Each structure stands twice: as structure tokens, then as C-alpha cells.
Amino acid sequence: KRPKGFSLEGRIAAGMLDFGAGKMVRLEAIFDTPSAEHLAETPLSADQSITLVDEDHIRLLATVLDTPQLRWWLLGFSNHVEVMAPAGLRREFETMSVAMAASYASGQPRTRLKANRP
């Protein structure tokens, strides 16, 4: 039964499904074209725009909530996305990328797992 005054669109617009509150930001990201094919069918926002950068990349612009869910979603694309803006989010991804690269640079795990561990 739908509660009186309930609006799913209103809840979504308020960030109810984005795993936390956040402020609205203008996301700009460059995606490998195959990785971003779904964005035309399922836009991130009403003002989303997608433009061709070259034959292999698209540029996404969309106003979205700056939440942990946004970071999780972007991280799912791995090296197939580059965050361009907002500047703070780009810096976060730069810092995270450098730290991840350092973890793998030696070719050896940081810790040794016991062979008998389940």
C-alpha cells in the first residue's frame, strides 16, 4: 500500500537510493565507448549529455549526488573511466590510483597468506 504523499521520483531525487546524503555535483567523466553504452539507455540524470570525444571515448556530463555510491559505481569501471570533474573527486581518484599502482608495483603481495587458510 502506498503511503499518502509518497513519491518514488521524489525519494530518488532526494538521494534515498544513493547510499547516503550528498551534495549535487556536476560530474564530467571520459569513458571507453564500450563501457558507457548503457548510459544512453539508463541516464544518470535528467540533464545528462554524452558527446563523442573520438572513436574510442565518450564524454559524460551529468548532475548527480556526490555519494559513496557514486564512487563505488565509478570504481566498477576500473581503468575504463577517467573522472575529470569535480576537481575534488578527480583528486580522490588520482590518489587512489597511485596507491593501488604502488600496491601492485613489486609483483608481490604485501602480506603472505597462510597456505592452510580456508
Side-chain angles (χ1 to χ4, degrees):
K1 213 173 166 186
R2 180 184 289 196
K4 187 173 181 147
F6 176 82
S7 163
L8 181 58
E9 293 81 10
R11 292 289 181 119
I12 291 170
M16 183 67 125
L17 303 177
D18 284 320
F19 300 4
K23 64 179 182 169
M24 299 301 287
V25 295
R26 188 74 172 151
L27 175 66
E28 178 182 359
I30 306 296
F31 286 85
D32 293 356
T33 303
S35 298
E37 289 177 351
H38 71 283
L39 292 171
E41 295 176 1
T42 53
L44 296 178
S45 65
D47 69 348
Q48 172 180 298
S49 69
I50 298 174
T51 54
L52 195 61
V53 174
D54 58 35
E55 65 183 41
D56 298 320
H57 301 92
I58 62 102
R59 176 178 170 247
L60 168 80
L61 285 172
T63 303
V64 296
L65 278 171
D66 185 9
T67 63
Q69 176 70 7
L70 174 63
R71 284 154 183 77
W72 174 82
W73 180 76
L74 288 166
L75 284 169
F77 290 99
S78 182
N79 64 318
H80 301 285
V81 64
E82 180 179 359
V83 175
M84 306 304 287
L89 185 59
R90 179 174 174 86
R91 280 191 301 278
E92 275 184 53
F93 273 72
E94 287 172 353
T95 301
M96 191 179 337
S97 298
V98 168
M100 288 178 71
S103 294
Y104 291 96
S106 72
Q108 298 295 319
R110 286 188 260 182
T111 61
R112 301 235 179 239
L113 298 176
K114 292 182 180 180
N116 296 333
R117 196 177 218 179

